[in-house]
Amino acid sequence: MARKKLIAANWKMYKNPTQTEEFFRAFLPLVFEHNRDEIVVCPPYVDLQAALESAKGSQIAVGAQDVYWKDEGAFTGEISSAMLVAVACTHVIVGHSERRQYFGETDDTVNLKLKSALEHGLTPIVCVGEVLEEREAGLTEDVLRRQCLRAFNALSAKKAAKLVIAYEPVWAIGTGKTATPQMASDVHQLIRGEAAKAFGEEFAAQLRILYGGSVKPENASALMSEEEIDGALVGGASLDAKSFAAIVKY
Ligand code: PGA
């Protein structure tokens, strides 16, 4: 069975609820009845409600950008998977490189967050990717193997069924530099191989691996036409309704 592509918007720390409503008013008519791909918008937490209400009745799903692994407790500032499910979020980004870089995210916390998201029935989009120094030192494969291995720790194929991976070379995020479709494809194959080792061939064949890092309307078709690329995680170019719609309709 062919893998349905997933096009996800990662708004990062942009937009308030009013701007979220404005986005959806412009975006929904542009992607009316577009069902070829799965579409998800991940706004900041305070915009989730506005996004969910705006998206109601459409095919657009709403996700969060991070999650904490405990269901509730004295964890000031955190939001749990149970809470995301309670407001009808369906997706969550886990382990984004900005979380790893600025907020102390580690391979182990990624694993805990991933397990929590899966247990609550969310679709987790787990981000992996090498930084420039790692690529230049020839460490890309090692880094990705380690990130996958640790993220998948103590999970079964059955539990991980909804897993989505996003390969985001850190040097390509917000820089205007994109991995070539071939470069991305090569890494996607490596990730699929790690998934096969952890969860079996059948699981790996169904696993969706997105590409992220300066995806724009101009490069979306070339990336999406690669057999190995099952969608995109889009930052900057997802903030504008027209540009995100153009990517969705690559
Ligand atoms: P970018 O961000 O599209 O702005 O490069 C992608 C991401 O960080 O998910």
Side-chain angles (χ1 to χ4, degrees):
M1 205 179 72
R3 300 183 292 262
K4 187 170 186 170
K5 290 197 201 292
L6 169 62
I7 314 292
N10 172 15
W11 282 0
K12 311 194 178 187
M13 200 174 72
Y14 290 99
K15 295 193 194 292
N16 59 34
T18 307
Q19 293 165 324
T20 300
E21 286 164 15
E22 283 165 7
F23 172 91
F24 275 91
R25 260 199 303 279
F27 182 63
L28 291 183
L30 299 175
V31 294
F32 183 66
E33 289 188 339
H34 179 97
N35 290 311
R36 179 191 58 184
D37 312 276
E38 191 177 330
I39 308 169
V40 56
V41 175
C42 303
Y45 289 128
V46 294
D47 301 329
L48 287 174
Q49 207 61 49
L52 285 155
E53 271 161 35
S54 302
K56 214 173 250 167
S58 78
Q59 79 284 36
I60 317 299
V62 175
Q65 298 174 13
D66 189 21
V67 68
Y68 192 62
W69 57 87
K70 301 271 192 184
D71 284 351
E72 58 179 15
F75 302 105
T76 303
E78 294 298 320
I79 303 280
S80 69
S81 297
M83 288 169 175
L84 294 179
V85 170
V87 298
C89 262
T90 49
H91 294 64
V92 64
I93 298 169
V94 173
H96 189 277
S97 65
E98 284 147 19
R99 304 292 325 165
R100 295 178 191 256
Q101 226 178 326
Y102 308 131
F103 302 102
E105 189 88 88
T106 65
D107 292 328
D108 295 329
T109 58
V110 168
N111 175 249
L112 291 167
K113 290 176 178 190
L114 171 60
K115 285 194 274 199
S116 159
L118 290 167
E119 267 158 33
H120 287 86
L122 291 163
T123 297
I125 303 172
V126 174
C127 303
V128 293
E130 79 287 1
V131 300
L132 186 61
E133 300 79 69
E134 291 165 340
R135 176 160 283 265
E136 287 175 347
L139 294 172
T140 301
E141 294 189 3
D142 292 351
V143 169
L144 283 151
R145 281 212 178 87
R146 187 205 72 223
Q147 289 175 338
C148 288
L149 198 71
R150 299 251 189 106
F152 301 161
N153 184 42
L155 273 171
S156 64
K158 190 161 169 248
K159 278 192 192 152
K162 286 190 171 180
L163 175 67
V164 175
I165 302 281
Y167 168 54
E168 299 205 306
V170 180
W171 47 269
I173 295 179
T175 56
K177 288 185 203 148
T178 330
T180 61
Q182 187 57 51
M183 266 161 113
S185 251
D186 289 347
V187 174
H188 285 212
Q189 270 171 26
L190 176 126
I191 295 171
R192 207 174 292 289
E194 289 307 302
K197 279 189 228 158
F199 304 124
E201 293 292 342
E202 203 181 320
F203 180 98
Q206 293 303 316
L207 175 68
R208 290 184 294 178
I209 306 175
L210 319 183
Y211 169 78
S214 298
V215 176
K216 296 182 277 280
E218 304 81 62
N219 58 26
S221 316
L223 288 160
M224 293 310 118
S225 59
E226 285 291 320
E227 169 81 28
E228 268 297 332
I229 302 182
D230 304 311
L233 182 55
V234 189
S238 73
L239 292 168
D240 175 73
K242 270 198 203 135
S243 128
F244 189 50
I247 292 172
V248 165
K249 298 200 266 186
Y250 57 87

